[in-house]
């Protein structure tokens, strides 16, 4: 797996592994198997949060399991570790106030068994807290060495622009990575996301990221397995001709539709108006290997154009 050097200096694998369900609906054994396989294949970019997966447990399980795995494998220095703060845990903990950020980074570090995280995301915007308070709190974490770089997730573009403008004016650490939904299928026009900021990255957002040289980490990029099983397609996405085209093209190339989606995401920066995209997904060991076959595919400019215009 190739490594990408991000503008913030982090060298990450071209696909990120999501650990959202590790320790809850994904057993410890299965999680360890997937983590081991991912690292063996050259992966190093692992994504979690301080609230994963609170809807299936307490919200501590993912970070705790990752901490145990890192300790047992002795591989902390070979992993780029991302976690998040800002969403709720059983109705508590949501927000980006100074006290919340300072409390939750220490909790995350304790569970992960490390003294720093490589990338710390604001998991979602907090419109009730002044931007300056949030950015000052994050900047202090960077200056203390608890965090290496900052990212934003589920932010409106204009709010991200305001936060980074303020950070520049005040000499503080800006957000340098965005995590947002993006997949090959298009969202239905006017379909509201489940959460207010949980929307698919639109063309305006993508052009903004190109202009700012900001990479996109695309979560939910495989649409919950819908590329293999259309019955699993989330309600906010369109299937139709685009899904049929993808499945036919994948069959011709001898890979799964999900692998072709990974190939499209990793190559789409070659097309005008698209930033560098790092697919983020979780999978069983078997599906992980199948999905990563997409990194071996060569897509011509003509093929990308065909995929985009369906």
């Amino acid at each position: 797996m190739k490594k990408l050097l991000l503008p913030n200096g982090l060298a990450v694998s071209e696909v990120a592994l999501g650990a959202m369900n590790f320790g809850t609906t994904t057993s410890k054994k299965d999680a360890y198997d997937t983590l081991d396989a991912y690292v063996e294949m050259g992966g190093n970019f692992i994504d979690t949060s301080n609230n994963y997966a609170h809807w299936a447990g307490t919200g501590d399980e993912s970070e705790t399991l990752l901490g145990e795995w890192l300790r047992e494998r002795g591989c902390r220095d070979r992993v780029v570790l991302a976690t998040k703060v800002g969403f709720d845990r059983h109705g508590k903990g949501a927000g980006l106030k100074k006290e919340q950020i300072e409390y939750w980074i220490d909790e995350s570090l304790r569970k992960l068994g490390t003294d720093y995280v490589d990338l710390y995301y604001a998991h979602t915007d907090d419109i009730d807290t002044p931007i300056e308070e949030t950015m000052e709190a994050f900047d202090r974490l960077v200056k203390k060495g608890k965090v290496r770089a900052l990212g934003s997730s589920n932010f409106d573009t204009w709010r991200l622009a305001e936060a980074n403008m303020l950070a520049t004016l005040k000499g503080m650490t800006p957000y340098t990575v965005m995590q947002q939904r993006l997949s090959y299928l298009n969202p239905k026009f006017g379909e509201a996301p489940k959460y207010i900021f949980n929307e698919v990255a639109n063309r305006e957002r993508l052009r903004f990221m190109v202009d700012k040289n900001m990479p996109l980490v695309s979560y939910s990029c495989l649409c919950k397995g819908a590329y293999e099983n259309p019955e699993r397609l989330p309600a906010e996405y369109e299937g139709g001709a685009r899904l049929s085209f993808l499945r036919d093209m994948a069959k011709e190339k001898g890979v799964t539709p999900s692998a072709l989606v990974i190939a499209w995401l990793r190559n789409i920066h070659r097309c005008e108006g698209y930033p560098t995209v790092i697919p983020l997904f979780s999978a069983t060991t078997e599906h992980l290997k199948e999905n990563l076959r997409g990194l071996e595919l060569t897509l011509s400019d003509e093929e990308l154009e065909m995929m985009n215009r369906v």
Side-chain angles (χ1 to χ4, degrees):
M1 209 180 306
K2 296 178 183 177
K3 297 297 188 295
L4 307 174
L5 183 62
L6 304 185
N8 57 29
L10 297 176
V12 302
S13 51
E14 53 188 331
V15 163
L17 179 66
M20 184 170 67
N21 295 316
F22 289 180
T24 50
T25 57
T26 300
S27 70
K28 181 175 181 177
K29 180 185 182 305
D30 289 343
Y32 271 43
D33 287 346
T34 299
L35 287 160
D36 290 342
Y38 174 70
V39 171
E40 287 173 9
M41 288 184 280
N44 75 336
F45 194 12
I46 300 175
D47 182 272
T48 186
S49 173
N50 74 323
N51 74 333
Y52 286 166
H54 75 97
W55 51 90
T58 67
D60 303 305
E61 289 85 356
S62 177
E63 288 185 325
T64 300
L65 184 146
L66 283 175
E68 294 170 352
W69 176 79
L70 289 167
R71 183 178 65 254
E72 292 177 24
R73 298 297 188 261
C75 62
R76 176 65 186 93
D77 60 340
R78 292 183 281 123
V79 166
V80 177
L81 193 59
T83 192
K84 312 180 190 74
V85 61
F87 260 130
D88 75 325
R89 294 161 47 97
H90 296 289
K92 299 179 180 179
L96 296 172
K97 297 185 184 302
K98 169 183 176 291
E99 294 80 8
Q100 292 170 304
I101 291 170
E102 291 178 345
Y103 174 80
W104 285 110
I105 187 61
D106 287 339
E107 284 293 289
S108 290
L109 294 176
R110 177 183 61 80
K111 288 180 284 184
L112 291 164
T114 183
D115 55 5
Y116 71 98
V117 294
D118 299 282
L119 180 59
Y120 201 36
Y121 287 104
H123 204 165
T124 190
D125 198 3
D126 176 6
I127 60 175
D128 297 320
T129 297
I131 292 176
E132 187 165 3
E133 177 180 342
T134 296
M135 299 309 289
E136 284 179 348
F138 278 134
D139 185 60
R140 278 192 292 271
L141 299 186
V142 175
K143 288 181 167 59
K144 289 179 179 180
K146 293 183 178 183
V147 171
R148 293 179 64 192
L150 299 177
S152 69
S153 180
N154 301 304
F155 270 54
D156 281 341
T157 310
W158 67 272
R159 288 279 294 178
L160 173 61
E162 284 197 350
N164 276 359
M165 184 182 298
L166 176 66
T168 299
L169 290 172
K170 297 284 188 177
M172 298 184 294
T173 308
Y175 297 120
T176 50
V177 176
M178 183 186 290
Q179 188 174 130
Q180 199 72 28
R181 285 201 298 168
L182 181 69
S183 192
Y184 178 68
L185 294 181
N186 293 320
K188 294 177 181 176
F189 179 76
E191 184 79 21
K194 183 177 181 180
Y195 303 105
I196 188 170
F197 299 120
N198 180 227
E199 61 190 9
V200 177
N202 61 19
R203 293 300 179 89
E204 183 273 340
R205 183 188 296 265
L206 297 174
R207 289 193 299 271
F208 170 85
M209 298 181 71
V210 172
D211 183 70
K212 303 304 180 186
N213 191 29
M214 183 178 291
L216 172 69
V217 177
S218 58
Y219 71 86
S220 298
C221 65
L222 299 181
C223 292
K224 300 183 178 180
Y227 291 108
E228 275 66 57
N229 181 5
E231 293 181 0
R232 302 186 65 177
L233 184 65
E236 64 266 29
Y237 283 100
E238 294 179 348
R242 198 166 170 92
L243 179 56
S244 296
F245 175 86
L246 178 85
R247 291 168 66 85
D248 289 343
M249 186 175 181
K251 186 175 181 179
E252 290 175 6
K253 289 186 172 292
V255 297
T256 64
S258 290
L260 184 53
V261 173
I262 298 301
W264 179 79
L265 289 167
R266 282 298 305 122
N267 284 275
I268 197 62
H269 66 277
R270 292 161 42 197
C271 300
E272 185 177 359
Y274 286 91
T276 296
V277 178
I278 301 170
L280 164 64
F281 61 87
S282 187
T284 63
T285 303
E286 178 183 356
H287 288 151
L288 176 67
K289 293 177 179 178
E290 290 176 353
N291 295 343
L292 292 184
R293 289 188 62 199
L295 301 179
E296 302 168 4
L297 287 182
T298 299
L299 294 178
S300 67
D301 291 344
E302 292 74 20
E303 287 174 323
L304 283 173
E305 184 182 352
M306 283 193 302
M307 293 181 75
N308 290 344
R309 69 168 179 251
V310 175

